[in-house]
Amino acid sequence: MVTFRELEMYKNFDELAQDVIDLAKEILPDQLLYVSSISEAQQLILKHSPNDTTIPIAEGLVLNLDDSLCSRIDFKNRQPLVYEDVKDGHELGVFEEKLEAANVRSYLGVPISLINGERFGTLCAVNDEKSEFDPKSITLLQRIVRMFSYYLDLERFAYRDSLTELYNRHFLARFFDKHPESGGAVFYLDLDGFKKVNDVHGHDAGDLVLKEVALKLERFIAQRKDALAFRLGGDEFLVHFATPLSKAEMNALAGQLLESMSTWDADYALSTSIGIASYANGADCELKALLKQADEALYCAKKAGKNRHHFFGS
């Protein structure tokens, strides 16, 4: 899933999203148009055209996805959802009151999906009056969305590890460029026993292990909005926390990771060593120096017997 934090790193995203709106406005000049991104539970309004309707909308507005007609769009088959008049016997159920409260009378939602099928969001046209959406206009909007999807895929490719889909070093560097003084900590992870998996079971098995590590890390960071997970290369991973943590908190988080990385369905003798380095809020932190500190702490954890964590400077 493309996150809002990820979009902040994309080059020219605002300009291109505005271009999508402007082109769509040329096709449907009488409509209120907006581009949104969608998560499992929420919809975020990213850009919209000038609002000449009574529909309340704002960039940055977050909606419960269950309250949005966009939740009904067929992303799997990339088919648009069209209601020229929402009151025209469509049996919208719980949506009827919500649409009336938002003054939405007509709706066209075009899905925006990545090439791999993952949904990104929508390009929508709404109005507080009945509308007519001819097939040619809808087809043109789909073509605009397809070109926008190609751009999103190129940006995603630049910031994601191709095997695990975790963020890569490039994204980590960009994040620190934009948030150099936020305060936080990095957990530098290295798998214990990974070389043996490759030697005994083959590199295909090794790749599956790395993907499983990524899934474990994604489940771990899902519990915290301040955390991001990265694959640095090989069997080296990193978790970054973008808020200051106490030593007790870091001990607890490291313990959770160590337990998770010691449990495998297959008969692999795998564990993880973790090096931890932190930096204070407002400190002028250089990523290269921080990673070096975490790497030194990781070396100490390995030297002390593996399957444990160590703090830099302790």
Side-chain angles (χ1 to χ4, degrees):
M1 183 194 323
V2 178
T3 66
F4 187 61
R5 260 188 300 195
E6 184 173 345
L7 293 178
E8 289 182 310
M9 306 298 166
Y10 286 5
K11 295 179 180 177
N12 305 317
F13 176 82
D14 284 346
E15 292 88 342
L16 285 169
Q18 188 62 56
D19 286 345
V20 169
I21 293 293
D22 292 343
L23 288 170
K25 193 70 173 176
E26 291 290 326
I27 299 167
L28 298 174
D30 298 327
Q31 301 295 317
L32 170 58
L33 294 127
Y34 61 86
V35 172
S36 76
S37 64
I38 288 176
S39 68
E40 292 298 323
Q42 293 181 322
Q43 180 177 20
L44 173 65
I45 306 301
L46 299 171
K47 288 285 181 183
H48 67 78
S49 64
N51 189 358
D52 299 322
T53 73
T54 59
I55 298 171
I57 194 170
E59 292 178 8
L61 177 66
V62 177
L63 304 171
N64 186 329
L65 188 57
D66 290 337
D67 295 334
S68 171
L69 277 178
C70 292
S71 63
R72 288 193 165 194
I73 291 179
D74 183 358
F75 280 87
K76 182 178 181 181
N77 295 304
R78 306 190 184 196
Q79 292 300 307
L81 181 65
V82 183
Y83 294 110
E84 295 185 332
D85 184 356
V86 298
K87 295 183 178 181
D88 191 19
H90 291 293
E91 299 182 356
L92 293 174
V94 296
F95 285 109
E96 292 180 6
E97 290 185 9
K98 300 179 188 300
L99 293 171
E100 185 174 355
N103 300 318
V104 174
R105 185 69 182 271
S106 63
Y107 170 91
L108 165 63
V110 181
I112 304 175
S113 298
L114 303 179
I115 302 303
N116 63 4
E118 179 181 330
R119 69 181 183 180
F120 169 83
T122 60
L123 169 62
C124 294
V126 293
N127 208 320
D128 53 10
E129 300 177 352
K130 292 189 291 184
S131 303
E132 293 184 4
F133 301 112
D134 64 275
K136 182 179 179 180
S137 295
I138 294 174
T139 298
L140 287 172
L141 292 180
Q142 288 177 297
R143 293 179 68 181
I144 292 171
V145 160
R146 190 180 307 120
M147 288 186 288
F148 187 54
S149 297
Y150 294 153
Y151 156 75
L152 292 171
D153 266 294
L154 287 173
E155 289 286 7
R156 183 179 174 84
F157 179 78
Y159 290 119
R160 297 274 185 167
D161 173 63
S162 60
L163 177 65
T164 64
E165 290 288 306
L166 293 179
Y167 293 125
N168 58 21
R169 282 181 179 268
H170 186 39
F171 185 88
L172 180 63
R174 287 276 291 172
F175 183 86
F176 266 81
D177 285 343
K178 283 185 170 287
H179 308 277
E181 299 179 353
S182 62
V186 293
F187 286 26
Y188 201 140
L189 288 72
D190 184 86
L191 297 182
D192 305 320
F194 181 70
K195 183 178 183 301
K196 188 175 181 180
V197 172
N198 276 332
D199 292 344
V200 175
H201 302 280
H203 288 281
D204 288 343
D207 285 349
L208 291 176
V209 166
L210 296 176
K211 290 179 180 180
E212 181 63 23
V213 170
L215 291 174
K216 289 173 183 283
L217 291 178
E218 286 173 347
R219 287 194 290 267
F220 174 76
I221 65 171
Q223 305 170 40
R224 300 187 60 100
K225 294 182 179 180
D226 63 338
L228 293 173
F230 304 82
R231 183 188 179 203
L232 301 182
D235 60 333
E236 296 180 340
F237 297 83
L238 185 133
V239 177
H240 174 249
F241 299 93
T243 54
L245 301 170
S246 69
K247 192 165 185 178
E249 289 175 314
M250 289 188 281
N251 273 320
L253 291 167
Q256 292 176 31
L257 281 172
L258 290 173
E259 181 179 358
S260 173
M261 296 300 174
S262 298
T263 306
W264 300 89
D265 292 335
D267 187 23
Y268 298 139
L270 282 171
S271 61
T272 302
S273 297
I274 305 174
I276 301 174
S278 61
Y279 59 106
N281 188 17
D284 187 12
C285 175
E286 291 187 5
L287 176 59
K288 184 177 181 180
L290 188 66
L291 291 180
K292 183 178 180 181
Q293 291 174 359
D295 189 38
E296 290 179 12
L298 174 63
Y299 174 79
C300 292
K302 292 275 191 183
K303 188 176 180 181
K306 304 179 181 179
N307 194 25
R308 64 196 65 212
H309 67 279
H310 188 88
F311 292 93
F312 174 76
S314 64

